[in-house]
Every structure is written in structure tokens, then in C-alpha cells.
Amino acid sequence: MSTLTYRYRLKDATSGTHLRQRAGAINDVWNYCNAVSLLALRRAKTFLTAYALHKLTAGTSKDLRLSADTMQQVCTEYVTRRTPCKKSKLKWRSRTRSLGWIPCKAAYIRLHGDTVTYCGHRFRLWLSRPIAGVVKTGSFSQDAQGRWDVNVQCEGADAAEPVGTLDLGMDLGLTYQLTCSDGVQYARANLTRKHAAALAMAQRAHKKQRVKAMYARIAHVRQDGAHQVMTAIARRAKLIVIGDVSSTKLAKTSLTTSTYDASWGIVRHQLHYKAIRLAGVCVDGNEKFSTVTGSDCGARSGPSGLGGLEVRKWCCAVCGVSHERDVNAARNILRTGRGTPIKGIPVL
Ligand SMILES: [Zn+2]
């Protein structure tokens, strides 16, 4: 069983007012948790638990017009966020600084066709795809443009047998977003460059809403493109090995926009969960020496260093086999992920 979150945009323009009021009440609960936790830390030198916060906020849900489980979830989420960072307090929530968020359990939201009912209020939604699986939990969330979505987390059945038959290694790149070990390459759209002139014009004219809409459009196209490509890959493969390259350092160089357009984080996340749903396996492989190592003989005779970046094709000096740079790297990554040597070459 795997969990999948469906997100639907709410239709009604008027529903925003209703949800904003609830989100405001949630901000109050959050800020109360923040304040009382800080007080407990200063006076008693102790971090309040979620259970303690539940008890402190009990009985206020009716006045705040929230369901009791929403109050509990806000307290639990507060503790979950605070625990790993070990700070005395988190950021205060406010209507201007924080996007609206209303968590709720499955028992408190009812879905009928293209409507969702929460706390006695009915919201209409764009049912872009049917919900498959058992609804476990849900939430309402606001985006930067002030629009509201309902998110429904469902537990669905996975495929019993692997849908794909191939073992595929994946090399993440900038020119080509993905190169598979079987030679298939997936290019990416140059979205940021495409919209750069229009974005700059909107920014110079201080058109905040226009800028937000354009960024939302870029993010949406990026996400949609990734969904289509990753689904196609997950359908072909029973084993996917993806390179463990990190975009954090690269995003700080002059290649920032290309790095964001390549969206390696989205690629990795989607491949992992799509593989599980289709009864496949997705693991991380070691990128180290994947470019310089020949995938046939294992000799490290490939192009290396800054000077070798432009070399797209090369011939192995040891065995004489011609290699396409990215495909060769993908094959080496597949080898490390499988954990089995090819032609007697030990795993890197
Ligand atoms: Zn070779």
C-alpha cells in the first residue's frame, strides 16, 4: 500500500473568505503554542509535548469555529516542526507572512462528486481526476496567489506485478534532464529563460500579482513535464538506479536557473514513489567516477576536469569502445545500484 496525495483547486471565489477566517484562527492556535512553549522553556526549562499542548488548547475549538481534531493536528505539527531544529520558538504565523493552512482528518471532510464538506460548509472543486483509494487525511492550503486547494491523502493499492521489465540507470544533467542507460534522453524546457524578459518587465513595473502568476505558471509546467516523463520511465523499468548528485552547490553557481529548471529534487522524489506504485524498485546509485569510467572495461580513461566538460563522445583508451558521455555515466550508475559487477569488474 502506498499513500498518494490528490490536490484539487477550489472553485468558489467566496470560499476564500470562509477559509481565511479559519486559517486566521489556526494562526492564533499556532502562535499560542509558540508563546506557551517559550514560557515553559524559560520558567521550567522544559519543552512542552504535543499532549501537553492538546490539554492546554482543549475546549477552545467551538469559539474558534474549528474542529477539535484540527486543533490537535496544529499542536502536533508545531511540536513536529520544533523538535528537529531545537529552537526555543518557531516563526510566528500571520495572515501577511504565512500562507493559509487548515489540516483535518478524513472523518471531518466528506467528498461527494465535485464537492467537499468541512465543518458544515460546502466547497466546490475542479475534479480533475477521480480519487482512487481510501481517504486517510486532508488539508486546505493557500498558494501565493491567494487561491485555495484541498489536499486529500489516500491509501491505494499498488500493482501486484512489476509493470516494466528493464533495469535502468539514470544520469541527471542540465542539458538533458535525464539520460537512461538504454540511450533514451529526456530534454527539458528552458522555462526560466523563456519567461525571463516578461518577468523582468513585470518586476520593473512592480506588478506583484503578475510576477507571482508567472512563477506559479513556471512551477506548474515544470511539475507537469516531470510527471509525464517520470511516469513513462517508471512504466518501462522494474529497477531504477538514480545518480546521487546534489543540486545544492550547483545552484549557487552561474548555472542557478538551469539547475532549477532541471528540477532534480522533483525527479528523484517522483521516480521513487512512482516506482513503488508500479511494483518496481528505485534506489540511489553512486555518481563517483561515473563519467570517467568506461562502462565496458572499467578503466578510468574518460574526460575529466573542467577541460573535459565539453567532450560529449570519447573512445576508451584501453578497449577502444566508443562512449556517449551521459549514457556511459548512466550505465555506470546502474552498475553501482545493482551491486553486481558486469564482466568481472568490481562495483565501484
Ligand atoms: Zn574500455
Side-chain angles (χ1 to χ4, degrees), residues 46-221:
T46 176
F47 282 106
L48 286 184
T49 60
Y51 178 70
L53 289 172
H54 292 168
K55 284 184 88 174
L56 283 166
T57 53
T60 53
S61 61
K62 205 172 178 184
D63 293 335
L64 292 168
R65 296 174 65 206
L66 295 168
S67 62
D69 84 293
T70 297
M71 303 274 294
Q72 289 191 358
Q73 284 197 43
V74 173
C75 297
T76 311
E77 183 68 18
Y78 175 81
V79 174
T80 314
R81 296 268 185 95
R82 190 201 57 201
T83 310
C85 61
K86 295 202 171 153
K87 283 182 182 170
S88 55
K89 66 176 170 66
L90 296 177
K91 278 186 183 171
W92 304 99
R93 285 183 71 88
S94 76
R95 184 179 285 188
T96 48
R97 276 187 309 192
S98 328
L99 298 176
W101 160 67
I102 306 166
C104 45
K105 275 187 185 158
Y108 292 85
I109 51 168
R110 281 200 309 279
L111 286 152
H112 293 292
D114 63 347
T115 59
V116 56
T117 313
Y118 170 68
C119 273
H121 201 282
R122 210 164 62 112
F123 302 99
R124 290 187 305 149
L125 50 89
W126 298 101
L127 195 71
S128 46
R129 58 191 291 202
I131 293 176
V134 184
V135 178
K136 287 289 168 192
T137 177
S139 68
F140 292 89
S141 61
Q142 190 186 27
D143 67 9
Q145 291 172 277
R147 298 173 302 187
W148 283 87
D149 293 308
V150 59
N151 311 292
V152 188
Q153 221 173 57
C154 297
E155 218 168 53
D158 303 329
E161 293 280 316
V163 175
T165 51
L166 300 171
D167 287 359
L168 288 178
M170 297 282 154
D171 180 52
L172 293 164
L174 295 181
T175 318
Y176 284 100
Q177 188 183 28
L178 268 178
T179 302
C180 302
S181 53
D182 62 350
V184 181
Q185 292 188 307
Y186 295 93
R188 64 177 171 85
N190 244 331
L191 289 170
T192 319
R193 192 176 295 170
K194 187 179 161 190
H195 292 95
L199 256 173
M201 196 186 283
Q203 277 165 342
R204 279 197 300 271
H206 301 292
K207 292 192 181 300
K208 278 188 183 176
Q209 286 305 317
R210 179 81 192 121
V211 172
K212 280 180 184 176
M214 288 172 84
Y215 274 123
R217 170 94 187 132
I218 290 172
H220 184 79
V221 173

Side-chain angles (χ1 to χ4, degrees), residues 293-301 314-323:
T293 311
S295 54
D296 274 84
C297 66
R300 287 183 194 166
S301 61
W314 53 281
C315 261
C316 179
V318 179
C319 65
V321 175
S322 172
H323 290 299

